Amino acid sequence: KAGVTQTPRYLIKTRGQQVTLSCSPISGHRSVSWYQQTPGQGLQFLFEYFSETQRNKGNFPGRFSGRQFSNSRSEMNVSTLELGDSALYLCASSPATGGNTEAFFGQGTRLTVV
Amino acid sequence: AQSVTQPDIHITVSEGASLELRCNYSYGATPYLFWYVQSPGQGLQLLLKYFSGDTLVQGIKGFEAEFKRSQSSFNLRKPSVHWSDAAEYFCAVVSPSGGYQKVTFGIGTKLQVIP
């Protein structure tokens, strides 16, 4: 069974641009969560999608948005990029939502904003 | 609000020595608890998890963790560290209420293993 696939692996963008990151969950998984990882802040929860609906959202500005498609694939969009958005963005998939399910992580997308 | 504290940012141990990584959480009830490991340039891999029942849980790669409700702790242990264990370790708490998977991670502990 293929794992969680995130594309692209690396990305360099300029301040003010927008970016879209993609996450393909493990087959059969319906929950997808996104996290931002930075050296200073650690791992911070962005949002979770389940069956195309956003179920939960972290404390990030509205520039960060996401969506989930009917095949459970998810995209995350960041508009008007800032230097501080440089981070590793991780996606995790689970069979279901709720706390007692294991999350499987992708390798992440390393975003650098210059 | 739930929170997770990993008091040790960096730990260095000798290969073959024992290891204990500390994790304390703040949450009103008993949460779901996880330990993940991240190798450089990689995503997170689940080592073990605690939902309920036996407070000593066994995980992969020879790791174990003990849940202590009185201390709000979930420390990770390994009796003999291997050089391949060098990585960053994250403790995570999930609030089980409401059906939402709200995960809070600790800041991480970076483990260095010296020969």
Side-chain angles (χ1 to χ4, degrees):
Chain A
K1 198 183 246 189
V4 178
T5 303
Q6 290 188 246
T7 56
R9 288 292 312 277
Y10 302 93
L11 207 49
I12 300 175
K13 288 287 188 178
T14 304
R15 266 185 305 175
Q17 286 187 312
Q18 73 156 14
V19 67
T20 299
L21 312 182
S22 179
C23 173
S24 293
I26 291 172
S27 178
H29 286 193
R30 296 167 65 191
S31 171
V32 173
S33 298
W34 288 89
Y35 300 85
Q36 181 194 65
Q37 185 178 22
T38 59
Q41 300 294 318
L43 275 152
Q44 293 188 287
F45 172 76
L46 279 156
F47 26 67
E48 182 202 2
Y49 286 86
F50 182 79
S51 294
E52 302 179 65
T53 302
Q54 187 179 89
R55 296 296 302 272
N56 200 5
K57 191 176 189 303
N59 297 323
F60 278 82
R63 301 185 296 106
F64 292 81
S65 63
R67 58 179 176 169
Q68 187 179 35
F69 302 94
S70 58
N71 62 357
S72 294
R73 189 177 71 85
S74 178
E75 287 182 347
M76 191 192 89
N77 184 276
V78 187
S79 62
T80 319
L81 284 166
E82 301 176 359
L83 294 179
D85 297 332
S86 295
L88 180 67
Y89 289 89
L90 291 166
C91 161
S93 78
S94 299
T97 189
N100 59 345
T101 55
E102 177 181 347
F104 295 81
F105 283 81
Q107 290 186 298
T109 294
R110 171 76 62 186
L111 172 64
T112 302
V113 182
V114 297
Chain B
Q2 63 193 38
S3 65
V4 180
T5 302
Q6 292 181 249
D8 304 306
I9 304 298
H10 282 98
I11 281 187
T12 300
V13 299
S14 299
E15 192 169 13
S18 64
L19 172 71
E20 181 169 34
L21 303 182
R22 295 183 289 166
C23 172
N24 291 92
Y25 67 89
S26 172
Y27 181 63
T30 299
Y32 301 135
L33 298 160
F34 302 79
W35 274 100
Y36 287 89
V37 61
Q38 185 179 35
S39 298
Q42 301 297 313
L44 276 68
Q45 180 184 21
L46 180 69
L47 284 174
L48 46 77
K49 58 194 176 190
Y50 174 79
F51 295 155
S52 65
D54 192 348
T55 56
L56 184 64
V57 293
Q58 302 297 322
I60 62 171
K61 305 184 180 188
F63 285 92
E64 66 177 27
E66 186 172 12
F67 169 61
K68 293 186 177 179
R69 186 191 308 273
S70 61
Q71 299 176 19
S72 296
S73 69
F74 189 57
N75 294 347
L76 181 71
R77 301 194 294 247
K78 187 170 184 178
S80 178
V81 169
H82 188 262
W83 63 267
S84 60
D85 293 325
E88 193 157 17
Y89 293 79
F90 294 90
C91 180
V93 166
V94 177
S95 57
S97 62
Y100 295 116
Q101 187 165 334
K102 183 179 179 182
V103 186
T104 302
F105 283 88
I107 198 70
T109 297
K110 196 165 285 188
L111 173 65
Q112 182 182 9
V113 180
I114 56 176

